[in-house]
Amino acid sequence: MQLEQQEDQAQFKLKNASASIKERRRRGLTWYPVTITQEDIGFGGKVVLELERPAHRQDLHLFQVGGAAALFSSAPGYSGTHSASDRPVVSGVVTRVRRNKLLLSTTKEALPDWVLDGSSLNGSTLGVDLTFDEVSYREMNQALSAVMAAHGNRLAELRDVLLGAQAARFRAPQADDLFYPSALNDSQLAAVRHVVTAQDVAIIHGPPGTGKTTTLVQAILETIRRERRVLVCAPSNTAVDLLTEKLAERGVNVIRLGNPSRVSELLLQHTLDAGVMAHASYAKMHAMRQTAQQHREAASERVRNFGFEERQRRQWLREEARTLRQAADDLERFMTEDVLESVQVITCTLVGASHRAIRHLGFETVFIDEAAQALEPGCWIPIAKGQRLVLAGDHHQLPPTVKSEKAGREGLRETLFEKCIQRQPGTARMLKVQYRMHAHIMGFSSEKFYGGQLVAHPSVRHADLAAYDPRFNSPRFDDPRFAPDLPVEFIDTAGCGFQELAIPESRSTANPEEAHLLLERLEQLLALGEPTDPDRRPLTIGVIAPYRAQINYLKDAIEDSEVLNGLLLQRRLSVGTVDSFQGQERDIIAITLTRSNPQGEIGFLSDIRRMNVGMTRARRKLLLVGDSSTLCRHPFFAELLAYVKGVGGYRTALAV
């Protein structure tokens, strides 16, 4: 963890030292411009600022309560001679975020002149930057310390079960275990029953397209029928948002802690702030805060005659303002506790489980989604609050992001999900029916990663492009290269001389000729035009490359194609790395494998979990383009090529 924190901090400084305000704002790291709408004195005499950005700026952002932030000025003299790393700033902690306003508790007892100058100019020159996230690392380290020190308590028992030192317990199933009606398949129902009967830990193992989220929501519904309140977490805000929406749609009383990354009306009405604002006592608290502010402003007014009586009056106003603020804070704490007392489900990120509003709460069951993508130290934060644990995910898809290679090698990349499923295999139930892709697209991943247990649902088993539009099943007599289409196709560039180009400055790789071949094949597929059936939705296409340099080249080349650029503008075509397609699907997925060299070096293509994710995004068509002479020195790609040949999808680029 220390290695990871050091590397993360170094990368944060490097990435943001030279980034423009516009770029930082795009990344969600900056609000600019901001105006100071309120100034107050907080704990220890430190200045507390309410900052507001323009109402029309609805950019998504990463600011959250507890996060470190810094106020800065872009005015000449304050920024013109300073880089982002050494310009003067006022540091602090975000204590409240609401739409376009945030509260920054600073470390200063008085504001410097440049802040006052920036806030008084026409058109504010002030902005606020998110600074390095010390909070997450602090919470993870505290959680690790608590787990290591645990003895003779429930946390110690859960630790021993999860790490395989103690057997996991399950009670005998009962006929009335499942109450809510559902259309789940047998493996999904078995997973829900498994969750209900688990006394320590249960795992829902969800391969691609098997309905993991649907199953998890059903398991939560069955759990809250028996328990007063549960905690539901995930490592990413996007996953937390999705679960919150799905639970709300099922009529669950759910509260989302932290900032939703998807700004939707449904999500906003389920935030803690919305719950507090809807409380019967909110108007009273709001009036108290307004009166306190009026007293504070009156105590600061300039008068001609400043004598003993005026001094006494000002002292009384300040004391009244302080008393009212304290009473308003106490009332807000009461309202928050009252709102949380009545909810069935609280959702948040892993670090969000340390939120001050629920710091004192305990839960009978804690659910963690995307657990196979979560760092183990982060998982222990919510686990410490529970008596029972449910993990959901798939350890054959994307691993957690670890920035320090040394930390990854020394164990940080291995997740708690992996440890538990390996040491306690009886805790897991795998979902076996997938509803996304054609059986041939599914086949290789099923054999390689899931023991051949995946089954394609009848609705997708034969759902190739020909099932979408019969014209895809007819040879194009005007183009002999266009054969009847196949759901899986590998175009082999071996012998074509399509050599990769290394870009040392960015440690990236491109293969322009391979990129052109892939785009040419896509254009052939799309030459049929729009579907003849007006009720059919248009096809969606995803183009995946393992390297940023190849992605950039593809994007430039697509601009030169009238057909493909039109789809890009319509958002029917997207280009990115495997990571950007996680949790998504497209009708056609085209992957350029890029690497082609005499040494047979394939770099991080050897992370076969990424290939599993990339290939299983496709619904109707998977197109792979690569050099078999380079790739097949790795056993995974040799097996993949043998599979494609077995289903009749192999073609050499020499004949295309």
Side-chain angles (χ1 to χ4, degrees):
M1 278 301 297
Q2 289 172 350
L3 288 168
E4 178 70 2
Q5 183 171 355
Q6 290 164 7
E7 178 64 24
D8 195 5
Q9 196 159 14
Q11 288 187 23
F12 185 90
K13 287 180 179 177
L14 186 66
K15 188 188 296 183
N16 293 290
S18 58
S20 66
I21 290 175
K22 183 178 179 181
E23 175 62 18
R24 295 200 310 275
R25 195 167 63 190
R26 186 188 67 78
R27 294 177 189 165
L29 301 171
T30 296
W31 280 13
Y32 180 86
V34 296
T35 54
I36 299 173
T37 53
Q38 190 171 318
E39 180 187 335
D40 211 338
I41 301 298
F43 182 76
K46 307 299 186 196
V47 176
V48 178
L49 298 174
E50 183 182 70
L51 306 172
E52 183 175 9
R53 63 176 176 171
H56 66 274
R57 292 224 65 92
Q58 292 293 331
D59 304 319
L60 295 180
H61 63 85
L62 300 174
F63 288 85
Q64 60 182 344
V65 173
L71 191 69
F72 68 89
S73 173
S74 65
Y78 298 117
S79 66
T81 58
H82 295 279
S83 69
S85 59
D86 62 3
R87 68 185 173 205
V89 296
V90 172
S91 299
V93 174
V94 177
T95 56
R96 190 175 73 223
V97 183
R98 286 181 181 162
R99 291 279 183 130
N100 292 312
K101 288 186 178 182
L102 68 79
L103 211 60
L104 183 71
S105 294
T106 76
T107 57
K108 302 283 187 183
E109 294 183 4
L111 295 175
D113 291 342
W114 61 264
V115 173
L116 304 174
D117 293 343
S119 62
S120 63
L121 295 171
N122 291 328
S124 173
T125 60
L126 298 180
V128 61
D129 274 333
L130 194 65
T131 52
F132 182 70
D133 182 17
E134 299 275 1
V135 176
S136 293
Y137 285 102
R138 184 176 68 241
E139 295 296 341
M140 286 192 282
N141 280 314
Q142 287 176 356
L144 280 179
S145 298
V147 173
M148 290 189 288
H151 178 74
N153 58 13
R154 186 55 179 155
L155 181 57
E157 291 173 355
L158 286 175
R159 175 196 63 204
D160 292 346
V161 170
L162 285 162
L163 301 180
Q166 186 176 315
R169 300 166 301 155
F170 295 85
R171 66 167 177 78
Q174 305 294 321
D176 62 346
D177 273 340
L178 302 188
F179 173 79
Y180 290 99
S182 69
L184 300 187
N185 62 49
D186 289 345
S187 67
Q188 291 171 329
L189 285 171
V192 175
R193 285 193 185 93
H194 190 60
V195 168
V196 170
T197 59
Q199 293 179 282
D200 303 299
V201 60
I203 293 177
I204 299 174
H205 179 196
T210 55
K212 171 181 65 70
T213 301
T214 301
T215 307
L216 183 60
V217 167
Q218 195 70 27
I220 294 168
L221 286 172
E222 293 292 348
T223 303
I224 59 176
R225 185 167 71 92
R226 297 163 172 79
E227 299 172 18
R228 180 165 151 245
R229 183 176 53 210
V230 301
L231 180 63
V232 177
C233 302
S236 71
N237 276 299
T238 305
V240 177
D241 290 347
L242 178 62
L243 283 168
T244 306
E245 286 180 350
K246 296 292 184 186
L247 289 165
E249 287 167 2
R250 297 293 295 269
V252 175
N253 185 353
V254 55
I255 285 289
R256 163 73 156 99
L257 293 183
N259 280 332
S261 58
R262 294 206 292 258
V263 183
S264 71
E265 203 58 44
L266 178 62
L267 274 176
L268 288 173
Q269 72 185 54
H270 288 283
T271 59
L272 182 58
D273 282 347
V276 169
M277 290 173 71
H279 195 279
S281 299
Y282 179 77
K284 181 180 178 183
M285 183 205 71
H286 186 63
M288 290 164 73
R289 290 204 192 283
Q290 281 189 316
T291 305
Q293 177 65 13
Q294 289 165 2
H295 284 354
R296 201 180 70 82
E297 289 172 355
S300 303
E301 286 177 355
R302 293 186 178 181
V303 295
R304 287 178 179 272
N305 300 313
F306 191 81
F308 176 76
E309 288 184 5
E310 181 59 26
R311 187 176 290 108
Q312 290 289 95
R313 174 181 166 275
R314 290 187 178 215
Q315 187 175 345
W316 179 83
L317 286 168
R318 289 195 186 98
E319 287 175 358
E320 279 294 296
R322 192 178 299 112
T323 301
L324 283 168
R325 280 202 311 271
Q326 183 63 54
D329 289 346
D330 291 342
L331 185 54
E332 185 172 17
R333 274 191 290 272
F334 162 76
M335 289 190 296
T336 300
E337 290 180 11
D338 197 33
V339 168
L340 294 176
E341 190 69 20
S342 61
V343 301
Q344 296 170 289
V345 177
I346 295 171
T347 62
C348 60
T349 60
L350 299 174
V351 175
S354 64
H355 193 287
R356 68 183 189 279
I358 62 168
R359 196 176 282 274
H360 62 293
L361 296 181
F363 301 85
E364 189 171 334
T365 303
V366 170
F367 290 84
I368 300 179
D369 192 16
E370 287 190 347
Q373 280 187 268
L375 292 175
E376 179 182 338
C379 289
W380 288 115
I381 301 171
I383 292 172
K385 293 180 168 295
Q387 300 294 308
R388 202 172 72 103
L389 177 66
V390 179
L391 301 173
D394 179 14
H395 54 305
H396 297 305
Q397 294 191 60
L398 291 184
T401 300
V402 176
K403 295 178 180 177
S404 166
E405 281 302 315
K406 188 176 181 184
R409 288 195 305 271
E410 294 188 6
L412 191 59
R413 198 170 275 120
E414 186 180 14
T415 64
L416 197 58
F417 185 99
E418 287 177 278
K419 289 179 180 178
C420 187
I421 208 169
Q422 289 164 7
R423 301 174 193 183
Q424 298 269 26
T427 60
R429 290 291 180 274
M430 190 174 87
L431 309 181
K432 297 179 181 178
V433 181
Q434 66 84 17
Y435 298 82
R436 175 181 296 161
M437 64 202 106
H438 188 283
H440 285 177
I441 299 172
M442 174 202 76
F444 180 73
S445 286
S446 177
E447 292 295 332
K448 183 68 181 175
F449 296 99
Y450 306 108
Q453 295 183 73
L454 288 190
V455 176
H457 188 266
S459 63
V460 299
R461 190 174 298 154
H462 305 296
D464 57 8
L465 288 174
Y468 170 81
D469 191 321
R471 291 180 297 172
F472 279 106
N473 207 24
S474 305
R476 292 285 304 282
F477 296 110
D478 58 335
D479 186 350
R481 298 175 302 175
F482 196 98
D485 199 57
L486 295 160
V488 180
E489 183 179 1
F490 188 106
I491 301 179
D492 188 359
T493 64
C496 294
F498 294 178
Q499 292 293 299
E500 66 186 53
L501 300 174
I503 303 173
E505 297 82 11
S506 60
R507 294 187 295 179
S508 194
T509 305
N511 193 324
E513 291 164 306
E514 184 175 296
H516 278 293
L517 178 62
L518 178 139
L519 297 179
E520 186 180 309
R521 177 61 175 136
L522 275 180
E523 287 180 329
Q524 288 175 350
L525 286 171
L526 297 168
L528 291 170
E530 295 301 327
T532 51
D533 183 350
D535 295 329
R536 283 215 180 269
R537 59 169 181 75
L539 286 170
T540 56
I541 302 108
V543 177
I544 296 176
Y547 293 95
R548 175 55 55 185
Q550 184 77 334
I551 288 168
N552 291 342
Y553 191 88
L554 284 161
K555 287 181 175 178
D556 290 344
I558 284 170
E559 287 186 15
D560 297 329
S561 166
E562 185 178 344
V563 173
L564 297 179
N565 196 46
L567 293 175
L568 191 70
L569 294 172
Q570 295 170 39
R571 298 189 176 181
R572 287 171 50 196
L573 184 149
S574 45
V575 185
T577 62
V578 167
D579 299 59
S580 67
F581 283 91
Q582 171 76 345
Q584 301 182 40
E585 55 188 53
R586 299 289 189 275
D587 292 303
I588 300 171
I589 286 288
I591 304 176
T592 162
L593 296 164
T594 308
R595 300 307 300 262
S596 179
N597 57 73
Q599 298 78 28
E601 294 176 356
I602 63 171
F604 62 82
L605 278 180
S606 58
D607 183 351
I608 61 176
R609 289 181 292 185
R610 279 192 153 73
M611 279 303 299
N612 183 36
V613 173
M615 294 188 298
T616 56
R617 302 308 96 193
R619 284 194 287 253
R620 299 178 181 275
K621 171 78 176 179
L622 172 63
L623 173 64
L624 301 156
V625 182
D627 180 354
S628 64
S629 65
T630 297
L631 298 167
C632 289
R633 298 191 197 183
H634 191 287
F636 173 85
F637 288 98
E639 292 170 25
L640 174 60
L641 201 65
Y643 173 81
V644 175
K645 287 178 177 178
V647 297
Y650 175 83
R651 301 170 70 197
T652 172
L654 296 170
V656 173

